[in-house]
Amino acid sequence: MFAPRSDLPLDRDPLGRFLPWLIAFMVYLAVLALAGVLVINGTAGRWERGLGGTVTVQIAPADSAEAAGVRLRAALDVLRATPEVAHAEPIPESRIAALLEPWLGEIDAALDLPLPRLIDVRLKPGGDLDAEDLAMRLAAAVPGAALDDHRVWLDRLLRLVHTVEVLAGVILALIGLVIAGTVVYATRSGLAVHLDAIEVLHLIGAQDSYVARQFADRALALSLRGGAIGLLPGVATLIGIDQLAARLQGGPLPDLALAPAHWVILAVLPIVVAVIAMLTARVTVMRNLASMF
Amino acid sequence: MGTAERKGVVVRFQGVGLRYAAGPEVLDNVSFELEDGAFHFLTGPSGAGKTTLLRLMYLAMKPTRGRITLFGDDTATVSRARLPALRRRIGVVFQDFRLLDHLSTFDNVALPLRIAGRHESEVRKHVVELLRWVGLENHLDARPQALSGGQQQLVAIARAVVGRPKLLLGDEPTGNVDDHIAIRLMHLFQEMNRLGTTVVVATHNRSLAGRIGHRRLRMEHGKLWMEHPKAPAPAKGGSGAPRPTEAPVVRL
Ligand SMILES: Nc1ncnc2c1ncn2[C@@H]1O[C@H](COP(=O)(O)OP(=O)(O)OP(=O)(O)O)[C@@H](O)[C@H]1O
Ligand SMILES: [Mg+2]
């Protein structure tokens, strides 16, 4: 890491030695929080895209197979007459049985257990389906027909995701505050320690911005160093989690991998932190000098 | 400012008084003018207020009362943002040097040029040349702690003159060097003066002040007046004697 030429012996401050480690720790936490948000956000987006274009129509079992067939056709007629529907297909009974098998055990066809019929409906992309209206028209045409547009479930999921995002946002904001607060404190004590040298710089004709740059450059260098120290274990942790998740592939867990763009965002994080530290130091010096001399 | 600025007045004090905190008045109703191109010694016993007077001139503090005008700017009303520009026209040799002790000789002397934003190659050229002239070319990388008192003083002087200031203020600038070097440094100050710099040198060394025949400012108990050398001063203009202004220079 580069060390800027400085007119003030800022590198001798104990806080100068302490700041990179604090920044390293904060960047580590921030990387994990941010990675969590990115993963969850991506997954939720995929789920929404995956489920958003489909609805399922469920028809209660009828007394006879004939009656069931009539209801099914009536429902299909309603669906196919709906302009937003791209495709409506009844799910074969055998698949329904297979879906229920884990709960009911192998169903003997001879038992003639009354099963509900399901229709898989794919919507036209971009179409704006009025689910309530469709549900009403279905119920009117077919007794015992119900529409499941997955909305309730999806809404709950999105609310959860949103909560997690807000939480992560609060964590990131707190991390930013801790960093800014520490830099303010370090800079103020630096100003106090070097008051004499700063006065000399002033008397020689230095502007506040000249003095501020010394502190800002220093804060930038220290933070970049700290950020790099924090980023490495952060990335290592993420790769570790990724490996563990890969072993569970095929299970109920959604895909947790970070996209390449996400890695770039994480790599930029320490730079953002360093810039925050630099600007904080600069503002602190400018404010304090204006009231000191 | 109201009154039309007389041409060529670099420093003007009008009824200036100063007290540190609640202490007694260290400067008592001091009034004088320094003409552009003047060269004065400032003498007086310890504690008379010489350093205090210089501190006011290099804008390290504000007077308790009275008015100070520098290069035509009233220091009481000049904005904070303009102070650096004023200070860059003033070179100061502090009585206690005030070198930055983590910086090398070279970097200490380079400060005024770097602060003024001069190009690094230009900085290098001027600083090395000047340090060679004062005999410190073998100590470019030394920290002040590694230099003798006299050498530190030379560094302080080099830093004060490197930016070719319009006003050069020396507070005992030759107190730590032998007479031979002191004379040499006085010649440097004279040379700067010849090139147009107004110079004020505070010193206890009456023989030095006597050897170089300039008119002296004398401070005693916070009052300032002019000491006439053996030869009478030219009646008008001449080598830029301080002129009493409306608040007359107080004589004991
Ligand atoms: N920072 C300060 N706080 C309080 N009193 C001060 C301060 N600086 C100087 N004084 C007082 O002001 C008076 C004048 O001090 P000053 O340093 O101007 O004298 P001087 O003429 O430069 O003396 P010397 O020849 O010893 O350098 C002294 O009585 C001194 O005690
Ligand atoms: Mg003094």
Side-chain angles (χ1 to χ4, degrees), chain B residues 88-213:
Chain B
R88 283 176 201 180
R89 304 171 76 180
I90 306 171
V92 186
V93 186
F94 301 98
Q95 188 164 15
D96 49 357
F97 313 148
R98 303 192 74 170
L99 301 175
L100 302 193
D101 58 12
H102 62 287
L103 292 187
S104 67
T105 297
F106 180 90
D107 286 336
N108 263 293
V109 177
L111 266 184
L113 300 181
R114 284 176 173 158
I115 283 173
R118 303 276 277 275
H119 197 270
E120 198 60 28
S121 64
E122 199 187 342
V123 170
R124 178 126 220 119
K125 182 171 146 286
H126 284 302
V127 172
V128 170
E129 187 183 322
L130 185 56
L131 285 173
R132 187 171 297 135
W133 195 87
V134 298
L136 287 174
E137 68 270 32
N138 295 325
H139 301 276
L140 293 185
D141 296 325
R143 299 287 163 95
Q145 310 84 282
L147 298 173
S148 75
Q151 288 169 328
Q152 289 181 34
Q153 188 141 44
L154 293 175
V155 177
I157 289 170
R159 187 179 68 187
V161 303
V162 73
R164 295 198 175 282
K166 284 298 292 170
L167 175 63
L168 178 61
L169 304 174
D171 200 347
E172 293 284 346
T174 58
N176 288 273
V177 295
D178 60 49
D179 274 357
H180 171 71
I181 294 181
I183 299 272
R184 193 169 145 79
L185 287 172
M186 279 305 149
H187 286 311
L188 172 65
F189 293 160
Q190 280 181 300
E191 180 61 18
M192 301 249 334
N193 180 239
R194 205 180 58 74
L195 293 172
T197 299
T198 306
V199 181
V200 178
V201 175
T203 181
H204 285 121
N205 191 336
R206 282 175 152 263
S207 78
L208 188 70
R211 198 169 341 195
I212 301 170

Side-chain angles (χ1 to χ4, degrees), chain B residues 13-73:
Chain B
F13 275 47
Q14 288 166 285
V16 170
L18 184 113
R19 56 174 87 238
Y20 289 102
E25 270 212 320
V26 173
L27 294 186
D28 178 9
N29 200 31
V30 170
S31 299
F32 66 93
E33 280 179 2
L34 296 184
E35 272 186 357
D36 195 4
F39 190 135
H40 296 288
F41 285 102
L42 174 63
T43 62
S46 267
K50 302 184 295 296
T51 298
T52 305
L53 185 73
L54 293 178
R55 279 170 61 77
L56 286 170
M57 280 199 238
Y58 59 71
L59 299 167
M61 53 188 184
K62 294 196 161 153
T64 322
R65 62 188 171 90
R67 175 191 283 188
I68 298 174
T69 312
L70 274 176
F71 306 110
D73 273 314

